[in-house]
Amino acid sequence: MKKTGIQKLLIANRGEIAVRIIRAARDLGIATVVVHSDADTESRAVQMADETVNIGPPMAAKSYLSIDAILTAAKETGADAIHPGYGFLAENAGFADAVAAAGLVFVGPDGNTIRLMGDKAAARAEAEKANVPTVPGSDGVIKDMDAAAEIAEEIGFPVMIKAAAGGGGRGIRVAHDAAEFRELAPQASSEAAATFGDGGIYIEKVIERARHIEVQILGDGENVVHFFERECSLQRRRQKVWEEAPSVALNDRVRDELYRSAVALAKAVHYKGAGTIEYLYDDETESFYFIEMNTRIQVEHPVTEMICGFDLVAEMILIAGGTKMGVTQQTIRRTGHSIEVRLNAEDPANNFMPFPGIVGNLLTPDGPGVRFDHMLYPGYAVPPFYDSLLGKLIVWAEDRDRALLRLKRALDELQIEGLPTTAPLFQALLESEELQQSAVHTRWLEPWLENNLDLIKQKGAQTHE
Amino acid sequence: MSKHEVKSPIPGTFYRKPAPDQAAYREVGDTVTKGETIGLVEVMKTFHEVKADADGTIADFPVSDGEPVMAGQVIAELN
């Protein structure tokens, strides 16, 4: 059995990822503490954890984002490590610093690495240093609008204007010509200043019809290994809705270069923990470009676990506890194909209107090759204060065609009564020939949704019969 | 004159301002006409405008800015 220095792990998160982390900790023989808000007293994670601490009111700013409340809870319960999950404080360098300053283990990279990769312009510069290709764009942050307009002209329109301090697709604008750029760039800068406290912007060329490809890596501060790629091209409002591994768009030469670049970048920053290097991939030129690095476990990590037979969350806990990475690149193999779909409490037939309802009868899919990471139980009242992700349905099969069939089977088995979910969207998507052939890109889904609203409605009506 | 109650159609977090650094949509004593936005309710990270469903003068906001609301809870009283 692997030994780790961690005895009691505090989980500073909620929802399905809190459940997921409790399971990984328990598999390692580690006790768990879950912190929660007033709105989450009945959550599945709270029911499962060994200990729980109420850290404040529903509003995340006063509970899940309160560094003081979380550190106090860790002290009171004698936890020696904190796992931030994703979202909330997961990529907050100040939090990682504060955890370390309190003498506790932060499950993730140190504050300086988070800070470096969280500044998109600095991350881009770091990537260039490691010879990782980046999207043509400005060298670093721009503050002078005239200089910015000149750079945009040189790169060629359309260009993306991004907030240097932003994340998760927020604060992004697309300018199609110089006039639009002159109008949008100052807006982006002042919005970035208001939202992130930093008005710095940078510019990137828009790659039409790009795929979103990302490489999962794991490092122990010295060695870095990769766990192949995921494709997450199906996005709505820049939020991923469907992820798979591997990507059928890549050939072996591209794969090799992609993995090598991801490992090189992670090694250059002495990366410790689980991380993801995100790229845009252009089918036509077979070129990939670094966009950003996520210094945390991601929502879509299970598709990698399914093709590699590996528990990434357990591994990141072990590494944080001081265990040298036991796995070498040669021992990491992939087999088959995995697909994950995100089930949100939203009505896809009604402009994805969020619906915090009460879960009625619940039938969850299982059987060969099916995994359902979720936080549901009959009678659970979904709180309105947080994001709408209820869970993730993940399937594995020998190849992509059979994974698609298995996803259909699993979705047919799934019944969540009491509230609309995005399940009908995926049932409708499975009928798309383009999706069946993976002829997709990051801007494929939104127009498809507009053209297939009736099909989604029909799928929704069938599940409610 | 009897009071008219403006209720939140959805559960979530009630805000009286369009953004943290901006002024409130309306203050107590202001007159409003039907259809005017008087607040926002954030539900699962999306924002929905709450509009006055009658003409009147705002007598009270029973819910403070940034407080949780239930669907059907009164967020403003009009005279």
Short mmCIF file of all heavy atoms in Angstrom, two decimals, chain A residues 254-283:
data_model
loop_
_atom_site.label_atom_id
_atom_site.label_comp_id
_atom_site.label_asym_id
_atom_site.label_seq_id
_atom_site.Cartn_x
_atom_site.Cartn_y
_atom_site.Cartn_z
N VAL A 254 1.47 14.13 -34.78
CA VAL A 254 0.95 15.27 -34.03
C VAL A 254 0.84 14.93 -32.55
O VAL A 254 1.24 15.71 -31.68
CB VAL A 254 -0.43 15.71 -34.58
CG1 VAL A 254 -1.08 16.73 -33.67
CG2 VAL A 254 -0.28 16.27 -35.99
N ARG A 255 0.34 13.71 -32.27
CA ARG A 255 0.20 13.26 -30.88
C ARG A 255 1.53 13.34 -30.14
O ARG A 255 1.62 13.86 -29.05
CB ARG A 255 -0.23 11.79 -30.84
CG ARG A 255 -1.67 11.59 -30.99
CD ARG A 255 -2.13 10.35 -30.24
NE ARG A 255 -3.57 10.43 -30.20
CZ ARG A 255 -4.36 9.99 -31.19
NH1 ARG A 255 -3.84 9.38 -32.22
NH2 ARG A 255 -5.65 10.16 -31.11
N ASP A 256 2.54 12.81 -30.80
CA ASP A 256 3.85 12.77 -30.22
C ASP A 256 4.36 14.17 -29.87
O ASP A 256 4.84 14.42 -28.77
CB ASP A 256 4.78 12.14 -31.27
CG ASP A 256 5.87 11.37 -30.60
OD1 ASP A 256 5.53 10.58 -29.70
OD2 ASP A 256 7.05 11.59 -30.98
N GLU A 257 4.21 15.09 -30.82
CA GLU A 257 4.66 16.47 -30.60
C GLU A 257 3.86 17.14 -29.49
O GLU A 257 4.40 17.89 -28.68
CB GLU A 257 4.49 17.30 -31.89
CG GLU A 257 5.55 17.02 -32.93
CD GLU A 257 5.24 17.76 -34.23
OE1 GLU A 257 4.59 18.84 -34.17
OE2 GLU A 257 5.63 17.26 -35.29
N LEU A 258 2.56 16.86 -29.49
CA LEU A 258 1.67 17.46 -28.51
C LEU A 258 2.06 17.04 -27.09
O LEU A 258 2.23 17.87 -26.20
CB LEU A 258 0.24 16.99 -28.82
CG LEU A 258 -0.92 17.66 -28.09
CD1 LEU A 258 -1.08 19.10 -28.57
CD2 LEU A 258 -2.21 16.90 -28.38
N TYR A 259 2.25 15.74 -26.89
CA TYR A 259 2.62 15.24 -25.57
C TYR A 259 3.98 15.79 -25.15
O TYR A 259 4.19 16.17 -24.01
CB TYR A 259 2.68 13.71 -25.54
CG TYR A 259 1.43 13.00 -25.99
CD1 TYR A 259 1.48 11.73 -26.55
CD2 TYR A 259 0.18 13.61 -25.84
CE1 TYR A 259 0.32 11.07 -26.96
CE2 TYR A 259 -0.98 12.96 -26.25
CZ TYR A 259 -0.90 11.69 -26.82
OH TYR A 259 -2.03 11.05 -27.23
N ARG A 260 4.91 15.81 -26.12
CA ARG A 260 6.25 16.28 -25.80
C ARG A 260 6.22 17.74 -25.35
O ARG A 260 6.88 18.13 -24.39
CB ARG A 260 7.18 16.12 -27.00
CG ARG A 260 8.58 15.74 -26.56
CD ARG A 260 9.54 15.52 -27.71
NE ARG A 260 9.00 14.76 -28.83
CZ ARG A 260 9.30 15.02 -30.09
NH1 ARG A 260 10.11 16.01 -30.40
NH2 ARG A 260 8.81 14.28 -31.06
N SER A 261 5.39 18.55 -26.02
CA SER A 261 5.33 19.97 -25.66
C SER A 261 4.68 20.17 -24.29
O SER A 261 5.12 21.00 -23.50
CB SER A 261 4.59 20.77 -26.74
OG SER A 261 3.20 20.71 -26.57
N ALA A 262 3.66 19.36 -23.99
CA ALA A 262 2.97 19.50 -22.70
C ALA A 262 3.92 19.13 -21.56
O ALA A 262 4.01 19.83 -20.54
CB ALA A 262 1.73 18.61 -22.66
N VAL A 263 4.66 18.05 -21.74
CA VAL A 263 5.59 17.61 -20.71
C VAL A 263 6.71 18.65 -20.54
O VAL A 263 7.12 18.98 -19.42
CB VAL A 263 6.15 16.21 -21.03
CG1 VAL A 263 7.31 15.85 -20.12
CG2 VAL A 263 5.04 15.16 -20.91
N ALA A 264 7.18 19.20 -21.68
CA ALA A 264 8.26 20.20 -21.62
C ALA A 264 7.82 21.42 -20.82
O ALA A 264 8.57 21.93 -19.97
CB ALA A 264 8.68 20.61 -23.03
N LEU A 265 6.60 21.88 -21.06
CA LEU A 265 6.11 23.07 -20.35
C LEU A 265 5.95 22.78 -18.86
O LEU A 265 6.36 23.57 -18.01
CB LEU A 265 4.78 23.55 -20.96
CG LEU A 265 4.12 24.75 -20.29
CD1 LEU A 265 5.05 25.96 -20.21
CD2 LEU A 265 2.84 25.15 -21.01
N ALA A 266 5.36 21.62 -18.53
CA ALA A 266 5.15 21.27 -17.11
C ALA A 266 6.49 21.11 -16.39
O ALA A 266 6.64 21.52 -15.24
CB ALA A 266 4.31 20.00 -17.00
N LYS A 267 7.47 20.55 -17.11
CA LYS A 267 8.80 20.37 -16.51
C LYS A 267 9.46 21.72 -16.28
O LYS A 267 10.10 21.93 -15.25
CB LYS A 267 9.69 19.53 -17.42
CG LYS A 267 9.65 18.06 -17.06
CD LYS A 267 10.79 17.30 -17.71
CE LYS A 267 10.74 15.85 -17.24
NZ LYS A 267 11.32 14.93 -18.22
N ALA A 268 9.29 22.63 -17.24
CA ALA A 268 9.91 23.95 -17.14
C ALA A 268 9.45 24.70 -15.90
O ALA A 268 10.19 25.50 -15.34
CB ALA A 268 9.62 24.77 -18.40
N VAL A 269 8.21 24.45 -15.46
CA VAL A 269 7.71 25.17 -14.28
C VAL A 269 7.75 24.27 -13.03
O VAL A 269 7.15 24.59 -12.01
CB VAL A 269 6.29 25.76 -14.50
CG1 VAL A 269 6.31 26.78 -15.63
CG2 VAL A 269 5.25 24.68 -14.80
N HIS A 270 8.46 23.14 -13.11
CA HIS A 270 8.60 22.19 -11.99
C HIS A 270 7.24 21.84 -11.40
O HIS A 270 7.00 21.95 -10.21
CB HIS A 270 9.52 22.77 -10.90
CG HIS A 270 10.85 23.16 -11.43
ND1 HIS A 270 11.81 22.23 -11.77
CD2 HIS A 270 11.37 24.37 -11.74
CE1 HIS A 270 12.87 22.87 -12.26
NE2 HIS A 270 12.63 24.16 -12.25
N TYR A 271 6.35 21.45 -12.28
CA TYR A 271 4.96 21.27 -11.91
C TYR A 271 4.74 20.13 -10.92
O TYR A 271 5.28 19.04 -11.07
CB TYR A 271 4.09 21.03 -13.16
CG TYR A 271 2.65 21.24 -12.85
CD1 TYR A 271 2.12 22.53 -12.81
CD2 TYR A 271 1.82 20.17 -12.54
CE1 TYR A 271 0.80 22.74 -12.48
CE2 TYR A 271 0.50 20.38 -12.21
CZ TYR A 271 0.00 21.67 -12.18
OH TYR A 271 -1.31 21.86 -11.84
N LYS A 272 3.91 20.42 -9.92
CA LYS A 272 3.61 19.43 -8.89
C LYS A 272 2.10 19.26 -8.77
O LYS A 272 1.39 20.21 -8.42
CB LYS A 272 4.18 19.91 -7.55
CG LYS A 272 4.25 18.83 -6.50
CD LYS A 272 4.96 19.34 -5.26
CE LYS A 272 4.77 18.35 -4.13
NZ LYS A 272 5.35 18.81 -2.88
N GLY A 273 1.62 18.07 -9.10
CA GLY A 273 0.18 17.81 -9.02
C GLY A 273 -0.39 17.45 -10.38
O GLY A 273 0.35 17.17 -11.32
N ALA A 274 -1.73 17.46 -10.46
CA ALA A 274 -2.41 17.18 -11.73
C ALA A 274 -2.64 18.51 -12.45
O ALA A 274 -3.02 19.49 -11.83
CB ALA A 274 -3.74 16.49 -11.47
N GLY A 275 -2.39 18.53 -13.74
CA GLY A 275 -2.59 19.75 -14.50
C GLY A 275 -2.99 19.45 -15.93
O GLY A 275 -2.88 18.30 -16.38
N THR A 276 -3.47 20.47 -16.61
CA THR A 276 -3.90 20.28 -17.99
C THR A 276 -3.35 21.40 -18.86
O THR A 276 -3.46 22.57 -18.51
CB THR A 276 -5.43 20.27 -18.09
OG1 THR A 276 -5.94 19.27 -17.22
CG2 THR A 276 -5.89 19.98 -19.51
N ILE A 277 -2.78 21.01 -19.99
CA ILE A 277 -2.30 22.00 -20.94
C ILE A 277 -3.31 22.01 -22.09
O ILE A 277 -3.56 20.98 -22.71
CB ILE A 277 -0.90 21.63 -21.50
CG1 ILE A 277 -0.04 20.95 -20.44
CG2 ILE A 277 -0.24 22.83 -22.12
CD1 ILE A 277 0.79 21.77 -19.57
N GLU A 278 -3.90 23.18 -22.33
CA GLU A 278 -4.97 23.29 -23.34
C GLU A 278 -4.43 23.88 -24.64
O GLU A 278 -3.62 24.82 -24.63
CB GLU A 278 -6.10 24.18 -22.79
CG GLU A 278 -6.72 23.62 -21.52
CD GLU A 278 -8.08 24.20 -21.21
OE1 GLU A 278 -8.33 25.37 -21.58
OE2 GLU A 278 -8.90 23.47 -20.61
N TYR A 279 -4.91 23.31 -25.74
CA TYR A 279 -4.47 23.74 -27.07
C TYR A 279 -5.67 23.92 -28.00
O TYR A 279 -6.71 23.29 -27.81
CB TYR A 279 -3.59 22.67 -27.72
CG TYR A 279 -2.35 22.29 -26.97
CD1 TYR A 279 -2.40 21.30 -26.00
CD2 TYR A 279 -1.13 22.89 -27.26
CE1 TYR A 279 -1.26 20.93 -25.31
CE2 TYR A 279 0.02 22.52 -26.58
CZ TYR A 279 -0.05 21.54 -25.61
OH TYR A 279 1.08 21.17 -24.93
N LEU A 280 -5.47 24.74 -29.01
CA LEU A 280 -6.38 24.72 -30.15
C LEU A 280 -5.67 23.92 -31.23
O LEU A 280 -4.45 24.02 -31.39
CB LEU A 280 -6.65 26.14 -30.66
CG LEU A 280 -7.47 27.02 -29.73
CD1 LEU A 280 -7.64 28.41 -30.35
CD2 LEU A 280 -8.84 26.39 -29.44
N TYR A 281 -6.46 23.13 -31.97
CA TYR A 281 -5.87 22.32 -33.04
C TYR A 281 -6.57 22.62 -34.35
O TYR A 281 -7.80 22.60 -34.43
CB TYR A 281 -5.99 20.83 -32.70
CG TYR A 281 -5.42 19.94 -33.78
CD1 TYR A 281 -4.04 19.92 -34.00
CD2 TYR A 281 -6.24 19.16 -34.59
CE1 TYR A 281 -3.50 19.14 -35.00
CE2 TYR A 281 -5.72 18.37 -35.59
CZ TYR A 281 -4.33 18.36 -35.80
OH TYR A 281 -3.81 17.58 -36.80
N ASP A 282 -5.78 22.91 -35.36
CA ASP A 282 -6.31 23.23 -36.68
C ASP A 282 -6.14 22.00 -37.58
O ASP A 282 -5.03 21.63 -37.93
CB ASP A 282 -5.52 24.44 -37.23
CG ASP A 282 -6.05 24.91 -38.57
OD1 ASP A 282 -6.75 24.14 -39.25
OD2 ASP A 282 -5.74 26.06 -38.94
N ASP A 283 -7.28 21.35 -37.91
CA ASP A 283 -7.28 20.14 -38.75
C ASP A 283 -6.55 20.34 -40.07
O ASP A 283 -5.83 19.48 -40.54
CB ASP A 283 -8.73 19.76 -39.12
CG ASP A 283 -9.43 19.01 -38.00
OD1 ASP A 283 -8.73 18.48 -37.13
OD2 ASP A 283 -10.67 18.96 -38.04
#
